[in-house]
Amino acid sequence: IIMSIKVSNITKLYGQQKALDHVSFEVRTGEIVGFIGPNGAGKSTMMKIITGFIPQTEGEVWVNELDTLEHSLEVRRMIGYLPEHNPLYLDMYVREYLEMVAKIYATKGHKGIGEQVDGMINMVGLGPEQHKKIGALSKGYRQRVGLAQALIHDPDILILDEPTSGLDPNQIVEIRTFIAELGKEKTVLLSTHIMQEVEAICDRVLIINNGRIVADDEADKIQSRRKEKFQTIEVEFDKSIPLEKFRKIHGITEVKKVKNRHYLIQAATGEDIRSAIFQWAVKNKFTVLELRRREKSLEEVFKELTS
């Protein structure tokens, strides 16, 4: 397995403040990895170290097997970076700005810079906006300009820090779909606060809290490994049932009425209690319309690990 990014024992100090504390992880080539954590957990600091934007205090980072401190320029050529606060020249026109970025990267090849910029404008859907000043664009289009500058030199690896922050629901879906497409050809490390985003497009999840990695696995595995003290069953009947009637079901610890005929039933874990609920309902002539065990969401697991 080829590793695009390898982070080993990274510590970062700002004076006495420890922003990162012996962080280690790897990102495999062709993976989309979600990097999540509360505000101030160290996500942006880690991303800036990988991209060579700031140096670490201790530890090592390799990008495509090159040490980021020793081979800083080569590493930067391999990475496309969209920072959290997308820094754009608001007085420049979209096309003018992208041509400038292409020239900075000295992108050469069979295409001229104009052709390359054309391709990028089409790829990120900036066609109608390309002759406007960046300052006149909506937040969604500014994010597209940020993605275009990160992609203009055709990097192997994309580091995206909160790429959908501040966008409306339609823009979020568009950018998310675009990132998922990019992930078919590139390695992506994506920081976000939106758990649905992680579940929708990421192959793996890293959770960081107080400068330390607290979870590193596929999203559903992180969810299933968190052992619950109780099992929670969601059930809907054909009619409303008084709560005291549920006491006859063995093992139940709590029942809550969510709305008219919907109930949340909590039981001490052990054997699956769904069959007992079903048999009790049949015996009492209640019709069960829906009966399912509620799994812990990634959001709930995230809260547990970081609170």
Side-chain angles (χ1 to χ4, degrees):
I1 295 163
I2 303 164
M3 296 299 165
S4 282
I5 301 168
K6 187 175 178 187
V7 171
S8 177
N9 269 321
I10 288 292
T11 296
K12 178 65 181 175
L13 297 170
Y14 292 107
Q16 297 300 304
Q17 180 73 33
K18 198 177 266 190
L20 294 170
D21 187 3
H22 295 92
V23 170
S24 297
F25 62 86
E26 294 176 344
V27 179
R28 294 185 283 274
T29 299
E31 245 185 342
I32 301 182
V33 174
F35 194 32
I36 59 177
N39 288 332
K43 301 184 299 294
S44 293
T45 299
M46 189 67 251
M47 289 179 146
K48 285 174 186 170
I49 289 170
I50 295 168
T51 54
F53 200 74
I54 57 171
Q56 60 267 38
T57 308
E58 280 175 42
E60 293 163 303
V61 179
W62 294 272
V63 170
N64 287 345
E65 300 184 346
L66 293 177
D67 184 296
T68 54
L69 293 180
E70 284 178 35
H71 303 277
S72 177
L73 275 179
E74 292 98 310
V75 165
R76 290 176 203 213
R77 285 190 193 107
M78 295 170 180
I79 291 177
Y81 177 40
L82 176 62
E84 181 183 3
H85 303 293
N86 183 2
L88 299 167
Y89 292 100
L90 301 185
D91 286 337
M92 291 184 86
Y93 293 94
V94 171
R95 184 174 195 91
E96 175 192 19
Y97 170 69
L98 293 177
E99 283 173 357
M100 179 194 77
V101 175
K103 284 171 188 166
I104 288 170
Y105 278 110
T107 52
K108 293 188 180 78
H110 60 282
K111 286 184 185 171
I113 279 176
E115 228 180 303
Q116 198 171 0
V117 170
D118 282 341
M120 194 47 58
I121 282 170
N122 288 335
M123 188 195 242
V124 301
L126 278 168
E129 313 294 315
Q130 62 180 306
H131 300 299
K132 286 186 183 174
K133 282 195 172 179
I134 294 171
L137 299 180
S138 69
K139 180 82 197 275
Y141 277 116
R142 286 190 199 184
Q143 283 302 82
R144 286 168 192 256
V145 175
L147 279 166
Q149 68 74 30
L151 287 162
I152 196 101
H153 58 300
D154 195 22
D156 301 329
I157 299 164
L158 278 175
I159 309 267
L160 307 175
D161 198 354
E162 301 283 348
T164 57
S165 117
L167 303 187
D168 69 35
N170 291 335
Q171 292 167 336
I172 286 172
V173 171
E174 283 170 18
I175 298 289
R176 198 183 284 173
T177 306
F178 182 60
I179 292 166
E181 279 301 307
L182 289 170
K184 291 175 184 174
E185 294 173 9
K186 301 184 185 296
T187 304
V188 181
L189 182 63
L190 163 81
S191 152
T192 180
H193 280 107
I194 306 167
M195 297 299 146
Q196 299 95 307
E197 201 149 84
V198 176
E199 290 172 316
I201 62 175
C202 295
D203 304 309
R204 213 171 92 239
V205 184
L206 292 165
I207 302 179
I208 189 169
N209 190 39
N210 294 327
R212 292 185 165 204
I213 299 290
V214 293
D216 175 1
D217 211 330
E218 291 162 31
D220 52 351
K221 287 186 181 165
I222 288 176
Q223 285 158 255
S224 61
R225 277 188 194 157
R226 302 296 298 168
K227 292 283 176 265
E228 297 187 58
K229 292 178 188 152
F230 300 97
Q231 55 177 298
T232 304
I233 309 298
E234 292 181 42
V235 60
E236 182 189 1
F237 297 99
D238 62 332
K239 60 180 108 172
S240 182
I241 300 167
L243 294 182
E244 61 271 13
K245 291 207 179 232
F246 288 91
R247 289 193 191 126
K248 293 182 179 169
I249 307 170
H250 179 68
I252 281 184
T253 52
E254 193 183 347
V255 181
K256 281 184 195 160
K257 189 171 187 175
V258 184
K259 51 187 178 188
N260 192 18
R261 303 181 312 243
H262 282 78
Y263 298 83
L264 277 184
I265 298 175
Q266 202 176 68
T269 46
E271 62 183 84
D272 193 335
I273 203 163
R274 283 176 295 183
S275 60
I277 295 169
F278 187 78
Q279 284 159 14
W280 168 83
V282 169
K283 191 176 169 186
N284 288 278
K285 297 187 170 55
F286 302 132
T287 303
V288 175
L289 300 178
E290 187 183 7
L291 177 67
R292 68 189 182 92
R293 188 167 176 157
R294 190 170 167 217
E295 296 299 335
K296 219 169 239 187
S297 69
L298 185 60
E299 194 152 347
E300 288 168 314
V301 172
F302 175 81
K303 282 179 186 164
E304 262 180 35
L305 287 169
T306 59
S307 60

